[in-house]
């Protein structure tokens, strides 16, 4: 419910992962289009750091699908920027 990390099986509405239960994040809900792993990294890093915008249409569709249930009652959508040291 909170961070959007998928479970291996459906635990029902309101289920939260151990990390969110033990150290609750400052946000109430978030979603990601992809689980960040070795495969998704090959899609995301060229887009994020290599000006490979050809994937933008597909990534945008995936983000819309992942966050669709949250969009109707959200107050703000915020991109997560690079850390200032990574940007330098």
């Amino acid at each position: 419910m909170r961070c959007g990390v998928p479970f291996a099986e459906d635990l029902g509405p309101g289920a939260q992962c151990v990390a969110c239960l033990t150290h609750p994040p400052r946000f109430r809900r978030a979603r990601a289009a992809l689980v960040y792993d070795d495969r998704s990294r090959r899609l995301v890093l060229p887009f994020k750091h290599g000006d490979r915008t050809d994937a933008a249409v597909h990534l945008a569709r995936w983000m819309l699908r992942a966050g669709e249930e949250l969009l109707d009652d959200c107050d703000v959508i915020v991109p997560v920027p690079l850390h200032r040291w990574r940007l330098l």
Side-chain angles (χ1 to χ4, degrees):
M1 177 183 102
R2 193 164 203 162
C3 68
V5 171
F7 292 110
E9 56 188 67
D10 185 5
L11 299 179
Q16 293 188 51
C17 69
V18 173
C20 287
L21 291 171
T22 56
H23 301 290
R26 293 184 182 190
F27 52 84
R28 284 182 288 150
R29 297 184 304 170
R31 294 296 177 271
L34 302 164
V35 173
Y36 195 70
D37 59 14
D38 290 337
R39 289 187 210 169
S40 61
R41 180 182 172 104
R42 291 191 311 231
L43 292 170
V44 173
L45 288 184
F47 175 74
K48 189 173 180 180
H49 300 292
D51 291 329
R52 291 289 311 271
T53 58
D54 49 306
V57 172
H58 304 292
L59 293 172
R61 286 186 188 134
W62 294 343
M63 287 187 287
L64 177 61
R65 187 174 30 207
E68 194 168 24
E69 68 184 67
L70 307 180
L71 293 175
D72 288 338
D73 56 285
C74 74
D75 297 322
V76 64
I77 298 172
V78 179
V80 178
L82 284 173
H83 188 276
R84 64 180 176 229
W85 298 117
R86 293 289 307 261
L87 186 59
L88 293 174

